[in-house]
Amino acid sequence: MTQIAFIRKADLPTNKQIQEVIQKLGYDFKIFDDLEKQIGEGGLECSINGHETYFETYLDEANNVISETEAEWIKPDLTNQDTAISFVWGADFSAGACIGLISIALTDLSNALVYYMDDQMKYTREMLIADTPQFLAELNKQTNIKHQEVVKPNQTNKQTETTFWNRLKNIFK
């Protein structure tokens, strides 16, 4: 999945500024990379509600990104945005939530324009805010399923243990 934020390079905030905006929104969010740096090439490590994640990030000139045929539809929206930050991730709900929150911070701090490339959709701040609880709900479901998988064997062991003790009790009756 790919989400792109178009921004003026001169307005690119630091990781610390991004983290602070997201925390002020009430989220347990942390960036593990150098907080004094800006989002750069290679990727970003962060966490949401204690779930650590990593996703790829790419910086490019906005014109290079919109010159691709899949992105021509964005061209009319751009005015003075000269940089594109691409966020690329797989089926990781924690990454999706973090990218959405970072996109909100980029919008708040630098008037970024945000697009979800897979569906050719322009995101508003309100849409990003609305998506975040959905990502977190899916993350919680995923976490609960994993927790249940761990708990089920123990429940089976207790049933076996109870059965064993019941058999043992029956022997001594």
Side-chain angles (χ1 to χ4, degrees):
M1 294 179 255
T2 304
Q3 189 161 301
I4 300 177
F6 290 90
I7 191 170
R8 281 179 15 113
K9 188 168 188 156
D11 296 338
L12 190 60
T14 65
N15 290 336
K16 181 178 182 180
Q17 291 170 308
I18 292 169
Q19 179 176 286
E20 288 172 350
V21 166
I22 295 169
Q23 289 174 346
K24 285 178 185 172
L25 291 172
Y27 291 98
D28 177 15
F29 176 83
K30 293 181 182 105
I31 294 177
F32 298 123
D33 296 357
D34 184 353
L35 291 178
E36 298 308 316
K37 285 187 171 183
Q38 298 170 322
I39 293 174
E41 281 289 321
L44 192 65
E45 287 185 75
C46 56
S47 73
I48 182 73
N49 296 343
H51 298 276
E52 292 184 20
T53 190
Y54 172 86
F55 46 87
E56 297 173 35
T57 57
Y58 301 94
L59 266 64
D60 201 352
E61 291 180 25
N63 289 332
N64 291 344
V65 173
I66 60 172
S67 66
E68 297 175 16
T69 55
E70 307 94 42
E72 277 290 319
W73 58 278
I74 297 171
K75 195 171 189 172
D77 295 343
L78 300 182
T79 54
N80 62 353
Q81 294 81 7
D82 58 3
T83 302
I85 305 169
S86 299
F87 302 97
V88 181
W89 77 104
D92 178 354
F93 293 113
S94 53
C98 289
I99 291 166
L101 290 169
I102 290 168
S103 296
I104 292 168
L106 291 172
T107 301
D108 288 356
L109 293 166
S110 307
N111 296 316
L113 302 177
V114 180
Y115 300 86
Y116 182 64
M117 301 308 289
D118 297 3
D119 292 336
Q120 291 192 352
M121 181 172 66
K122 180 178 181 179
Y123 266 110
T124 64
R125 183 182 191 280
E126 292 75 22
M127 292 166 72
L128 290 163
I129 287 175
D131 276 1
T132 301
Q134 293 174 11
F135 274 110
L136 294 176
E138 291 300 321
L139 179 60
N140 287 337
K141 283 182 196 175
Q142 195 176 47
T143 303
N144 289 337
I145 289 170
K146 286 180 183 175
H147 179 69
Q148 287 173 356
E149 289 172 0
V150 170
V151 172
K152 283 182 182 178
N154 291 340
Q155 290 171 343
T156 304
N157 289 343
K158 286 182 180 179
Q159 289 170 349
T160 304
E161 184 179 317
T162 303
T163 306
F164 170 77
W165 282 111
N166 284 338
R167 281 193 246 157
L168 191 59
K169 287 179 187 177
N170 286 336
I171 292 173
F172 292 106
K173 281 187 178 179

